Amino acid sequence: MVTVTGTPGSDPTSADAAREAAVEAALGKLDLDAKARLLGGQDMWSLPELPEIGLDSLVMSDGPIGVRGTRWTADDPSVALPSPTALAATWDPELARRAGVLLAQEARRKGVHVLLAPTVNLHRSPLGGRHFEAYSEDPYLTGRIGAGYVNGVQSGGVGTTVKHFVANDAETDRFTVDNLVSERALRELYLAPFEAIVENAHPWGIMTAYNTVNGTTMSEHRYLVNEVLRGEWGFDGYNVSDWMAARSTTGAIDGGLDVAMPGPRTVYGAPLARAVRDGHVAEATLDGAVRNVLRLAARVGILDGAEPAVAHTDLPAPVDGEALAREIAHRSFVLVRNEGALPLPEGRTVALIGAAARDARVLGGGSATVFPAQVVSPLDGLTAALPEGAVTYAVGADPNTELAVADKGFTLRAVCRDATGTVLGTGSAPNGQINWMGSDLPEGVTLPHSRLRSSGGTPIRLHTVELAGTFTPRDTGRHAFGIKGLGAFALTVDGTTYYDDVQSTDSDDPFISFFGDPELRAEVQLTADTPVEVSLTHGVTFPEDAAMKAVGFSLCHQEPRRDPDELIAEAAEAARAADTAVVVVATTERVESEGFDRVDLQLPGHQDDLVRAVVAANPNTVVVVNSGSPVELPWRDQVAAVLLSWFPGQEGGAALADVLTGAREPGGRLPTTWGALADAPVTQVTPADGELPYTEGVFIGYRAWEKEGRTPSYAFGHGLGYTDWTYESAEAEGTRADGVTVTVRVTNTGTRAGREVVQAYLAPTGEAGPDRPARWLAGFAGIEAAPGETVEVTLELPRRAFEIWDESAGAWAFVKGSYEIQVGRSIADRRLTAPITV
């Protein structure tokens, strides 16, 4: 029997009391300036140390899928797990907990105390560009997976920062947009995952978002932070701003913001001390924020006199990162269609097709980027798994229709020089992208604002950064080169300087060098396998009042563009000669990334044409979809199988081979509805006059699809395996205040062992009414069974599943009456019902 319940939050203990005493003692020793200084970043990723109280510098790092650390470099590689959408597709909070344990292990190795994760914003619209970094369209599933992740990380003595609080559900105008959300929608949807994680995982941190909610920017939202998060829910962790989100000293501190990042220039520090002295901020308010930061420091073990929340002897056993990355990947793959093509029969030949089969896309673009020591592509994985000669490969179509950051074939290094041309230092460049944010500068290099001087008294200033090395082309033809970034650049390829000028932009996005569009600057005829010298030199300058001083730019590249029809014809010929064709289609970093939303759900390039041509040549065609969130699949009913692999992490190719060959079962279920954009009920992500009304209220995702009577391509919760399941019975019990229990019996009626995700949806009997969804996810559990085995699983449906937010009363209201508990394999495949009256 499997019983699914929430993980209780931590109860106060004597150890907690001792830490609080240490926090109060430390607080009492600090003067006003030290307290104010502690609340502002000293650089991009850390808070200042305070030796007078034995406080070390607190270090933070991005960490949804891997822990990058404080340096944007491959010199210290990171394990790269599958994307958060993939983790949610496992529908397994325990697996999410294990992922967290691994990431805590990685954080400790890199000297990181707090991960800036997980992201628990909802997939409100399929056009959200950063949805690959969030979990689901459903708040209950998001809360369960997020709580598992937080419990895992913090069991390893590392803090989490649940983000982005709140309603940060799109990227367009994310710094300024005012999202207008009803109180009911906020409570039932957007706040719900945060509330569940606070209750069930006791996170040590929350990050407030860039955006405004109902007229108040989140970094100053006293009601949502102080009254709801801290007051109603009892959150006792620290609240950190998203990077550069804090705009007002008094507004932020009175609004409940503890830490303003990044530094060294923030609205806290000296401005905050001055505001206290001038009587604009109560020192007690400042002390409350300092207390929260010191409590975090005590928990992670960097405050003298305080025992860490997890003793070294209590740390989890070491985790094999490669093995776990591979396990999460195959457990996350969602088989949405299979007409007998999978698993691949033994002894068959395979034509593997698609640029993404050779150059795997394993993670999404933006701040979540990490650099794994190795990446297993689908071509690598399938070639290793099948007999020699069984796999042939063809490009077919390239989704990279634009310049991308230079990668394959480039061997680069960064050389830093002062104004005289003297080399100050050198650093590695894992690809053509430089992102140095202060502490990650190469050894011996300081930014132009540094006051350090040479022995002769001349200021030592970084004047230029040259990204130099060789490029060995894979193909003969005209290669395109470009530049992403702002300022002065000189681009030289094979001895010829093609650009020497200044790039500028009208955008006010402080991260434009990171997320902006690359500019084409050269087209050069090159020969395959013949190395050439490449160099991109950037002049480093900053305004004196720049809030964030970082070096960021990219050398970009695009391979020669062959005639699309020729490539597709070659792929079709390869497919015709093989027993099975496996086509890998993908999005790109210009489609799915932090920093911008999508304009459509189409696969880039000629990939749809490729699939149609391949299946015409070989009806036994399997399509693997390498995207972090939904794309349109107009050919889905023509092919033999469709497998969604998300962004599968560094071991994705090995996991794909496991699933295609049948060594492993595809274990995923959809955490988000997949359908055509024209049918999607909620699509608006672009503000008008600075405002984005959430006019749909509580109807997003499957709730909205059902309300509008529209049929998606693949329903929420859908996913096939390699065996069959019969749902035998479902019995509901209890009308208790804390929820209802439903017991389900399921039999594996197939020929092989498998795993099933039993899903329970709660539906009001009769008409749901215009203000309530027809049904909603209320419980789920994964089970495993051998052929012929019957398993009984017990689901606990929480009281909250029966409640709505009463806006007139400003409180949760338990809705009495008759319900059906509908149990099945997805929201569209409900096998059993159990009536209940509460």
Side-chain angles (χ1 to χ4, degrees):
M1 176 182 294
V2 178
T3 300
V4 179
T5 59
T7 301
S10 300
D11 294 324
T13 65
S14 59
D16 293 326
R19 271 191 297 277
E20 287 301 303
V23 165
E24 293 301 323
L27 178 61
K29 297 176 184 177
L30 296 176
D31 63 21
L32 175 60
D33 292 314
K35 289 188 288 190
R37 188 168 69 253
L38 177 62
L39 303 185
Q42 69 174 350
D43 54 25
M44 183 60 66
W45 302 115
S46 66
L47 298 182
E49 65 177 354
L50 297 178
E52 62 267 38
I53 58 171
L55 176 67
D56 293 341
S57 174
L58 181 83
V59 179
M60 303 168 240
S61 170
D62 286 309
I65 58 102
V67 183
R68 188 173 62 247
T70 61
R71 297 175 61 82
W72 197 275
T73 174
D75 289 345
D76 183 14
S78 309
V79 174
L81 298 178
S83 62
T85 42
L87 189 59
T90 69
W91 288 58
D92 189 343
E94 170 59 19
L95 191 56
R97 186 198 65 79
R98 291 171 55 204
V101 169
L102 169 66
L103 295 178
Q105 175 180 299
E106 286 278 280
R108 294 193 308 272
R109 181 175 66 82
K110 288 173 174 276
V112 168
H113 305 116
V114 181
L115 293 186
L116 302 173
T119 301
V120 298
N121 300 114
L122 299 184
H123 297 188
R124 172 181 168 266
S125 162
L127 294 177
R130 200 178 182 181
H131 282 344
F132 62 86
E133 196 179 315
Y135 292 129
S136 170
E137 68 190 29
D138 182 78
Y140 178 73
L141 176 60
T142 296
R144 290 280 305 279
I145 298 297
Y149 176 101
V150 169
N151 278 317
V153 173
Q154 293 185 174
S155 74
V158 174
T160 56
T161 310
V162 188
K163 62 184 187 182
H164 308 83
F165 189 77
V166 63
N168 184 193
D169 310 301
E171 295 295 283
T172 303
D173 296 343
R174 62 179 176 157
F175 299 102
T176 58
V177 61
D178 185 1
N179 294 325
L180 307 181
V181 193
S182 72
E183 184 76 5
R184 183 178 170 206
L186 267 176
R187 293 285 187 158
E188 294 186 20
L189 296 179
Y190 303 104
L191 288 170
F194 292 94
E195 182 182 10
I197 292 170
V198 169
E199 178 182 358
N200 297 318
H202 197 62
W204 299 345
I206 293 280
M207 179 188 290
T208 41
Y210 290 120
N211 55 279
T212 292
V213 173
N214 298 332
T216 303
T217 184
M218 280 308 307
S219 58
E220 303 172 24
H221 214 302
R222 181 181 179 86
Y223 169 66
L224 289 177
V225 173
N226 284 348
E227 296 184 33
V228 176
L229 174 64
R230 294 198 186 280
E232 293 181 27
W233 303 349
F235 172 70
D236 68 351
Y238 90 127
N239 171 20
V240 61
S241 72
D242 206 338
W243 267 225
M244 299 185 68
R247 301 170 176 90
S248 163
T249 300
T250 57
I253 195 71
D254 287 337
L257 183 71
D258 298 324
V259 173
M261 291 295 290
R265 187 184 179 91
T266 79
V267 298
Y268 285 172
L272 180 54
R274 185 165 54 249
V276 173
R277 290 192 173 99
D278 292 345
H280 300 307
V281 173
E283 188 163 0
T285 302
L286 169 66
D287 287 349
V290 174
R291 187 176 288 112
N292 292 331
V293 174
L294 292 176
R295 182 179 299 117
L296 172 65
R299 284 169 168 164
V300 300
I302 60 170
L303 177 64
D304 280 357
E307 290 296 322
V310 181
H312 182 75
T313 54
D314 294 332
L315 291 173
V319 178
D320 184 327
E322 291 181 11
L324 184 58
R326 185 168 179 168
E327 179 183 354
I328 294 173
H330 71 69
R331 286 281 307 281
S332 74
F333 292 168
V334 183
L335 184 61
V336 294
R337 176 179 172 85
N338 188 18
E339 300 299 302
L342 294 179
L344 298 172
E346 290 187 15
R348 302 294 182 92
T349 57
V350 174
L352 184 60
I353 296 165
R358 177 184 61 184
D359 301 327
R361 188 177 185 207
V362 301
L363 42 80
S367 59
T369 301
V370 296
F371 305 104
Q374 65 169 20
V375 172
V376 182
S377 70
L379 181 57
D380 296 333
L382 208 55
T383 300
L386 296 180
E388 185 175 355
V391 179
T392 58
Y393 173 73
V395 173
D398 191 345
N400 292 291
T401 59
E402 305 175 70
L403 289 159
V405 173
D407 192 7
K408 302 297 182 183
F410 287 85
T411 303
L412 302 170
R413 192 148 187 88
V415 182
C416 302
R417 296 183 174 89
D418 66 13
T420 68
T422 301
V423 174
L424 301 175
T426 62
S428 66
N431 54 24
Q433 188 170 55
I434 293 293
N435 278 292
W436 294 335
M437 302 176 184
S439 60
D440 54 352
L441 288 164
E443 186 175 353
V445 179
T446 57
L447 290 177
H449 65 282
S450 171
R451 298 188 181 187
L452 294 178
R453 294 177 177 270
S454 66
S455 58
T458 304
I460 300 174
R461 293 180 179 269
L462 174 62
H463 184 65
T464 62
V465 176
E466 181 187 14
L467 196 57
T470 60
F471 170 53
T472 304
R474 293 189 294 199
D475 299 308
T476 296
R478 291 186 66 78
H479 289 252
F481 293 84
I483 304 168
K484 180 162 62 172
L486 302 178
F489 291 97
L491 173 64
T492 300
V493 181
D494 199 19
T496 300
T497 298
Y498 289 89
Y499 182 81
D500 190 354
D501 208 338
V502 176
Q503 284 194 169
S504 61
T505 181
D506 295 330
S507 173
D508 59 359
D509 187 335
F511 301 107
I512 190 67
S513 294
F514 194 66
F515 301 121
D517 296 330
E519 297 285 346
L520 175 65
R521 296 304 183 190
E523 291 188 282
V524 187
Q525 181 70 29
L526 299 176
T527 303
D529 301 322
T530 301
V532 294
E533 299 292 321
V534 294
S535 169
L536 177 62
T537 302
H538 172 50
V540 180
T541 59
F542 300 113
E544 284 302 319
D545 61 347
M548 181 175 71
K549 296 186 177 182
V551 180
F553 66 93
S554 298
L555 171 65
C556 298
H557 170 256
Q558 185 179 32
E559 293 187 322
R561 308 304 297 166
R562 287 187 56 195
D563 180 85
D565 292 338
E566 289 183 8
L567 287 173
I568 290 174
E570 290 175 2
E573 188 60 32
R576 191 174 292 112
D579 296 316
T580 301
V582 176
V583 184
V584 182
V585 296
T587 60
T588 71
E589 194 167 299
R590 301 301 302 153
V591 174
E592 289 187 271
S593 174
E594 179 183 350
F596 51 84
D597 289 313
R598 300 158 75 183
V599 296
D600 58 45
L601 301 183
Q602 298 176 12
L603 289 166
H606 296 265
Q607 294 181 100
D608 288 333
D609 295 334
L610 170 65
V611 173
R612 292 187 183 99
V614 169
V615 74
N618 186 339
N620 197 32
T621 292
V622 176
V623 181
V624 178
V625 183
N626 182 193
S627 71
S629 50
V631 293
E632 293 180 352
L633 310 173
W635 32 258
R636 65 185 181 279
D637 293 331
Q638 303 167 29
V639 300
V642 179
L643 180 70
L644 312 182
S645 69
W646 312 106
F647 295 147
Q650 67 178 56
E651 302 299 317
L656 180 63
D658 290 340
V659 167
L660 293 180
T661 60
R664 298 286 186 178
E665 183 182 42
R669 304 294 184 267
L670 285 181
T672 292
T673 306
W674 280 51
L677 181 60
D679 296 329
V682 181
T683 59
Q684 187 63 32
V685 294
T686 302
D689 298 323
E691 296 181 342
L692 182 62
Y694 284 31
T695 55
E696 68 282 351
V698 298
F699 292 93
I700 67 169
Y702 62 80
R703 295 166 168 84
W705 283 87
E706 290 204 324
K707 180 185 179 184
E708 298 298 326
R710 301 176 187 177
T711 302
S713 304
Y714 301 111
F716 177 82
H718 174 63
L720 308 173
Y722 288 157
T723 190
D724 298 315
W725 298 91
T726 297
Y727 281 63
E728 307 285 356
S729 63
E731 297 179 359
E733 295 180 1
T735 57
R736 302 167 315 192
D738 59 347
V740 169
T741 298
V742 56
T743 302
V744 184
R745 291 176 62 85
V746 182
T747 300
N748 180 350
T749 53
T751 58
R752 59 176 285 167
R755 185 177 188 275
E756 174 72 330
V757 177
V758 178
Q759 303 166 36
Y761 296 87
L762 191 61
T765 301
E767 293 295 325
D771 64 340
R772 298 188 78 189
R775 61 190 56 82
W776 51 91
L777 181 67
F780 65 88
I783 59 168
E784 297 180 358
E789 182 182 4
T790 298
V791 176
E792 186 175 279
V793 59
T794 300
L795 307 178
E796 300 287 348
L797 278 56
R799 175 185 173 88
R800 181 57 56 82
F802 297 87
E803 294 180 327
I804 64 170
W805 182 260
D806 185 336
E807 292 186 334
S808 61
W812 289 101
F814 189 84
V815 183
K816 299 178 181 179
S818 298
Y819 294 84
E820 276 190 352
I821 299 172
Q822 302 172 346
V823 180
R825 310 197 71 215
S826 76
I827 197 166
D829 184 4
R830 305 183 300 275
R831 304 288 181 91
L832 300 170
T833 61
I836 191 77
T837 300
V838 296

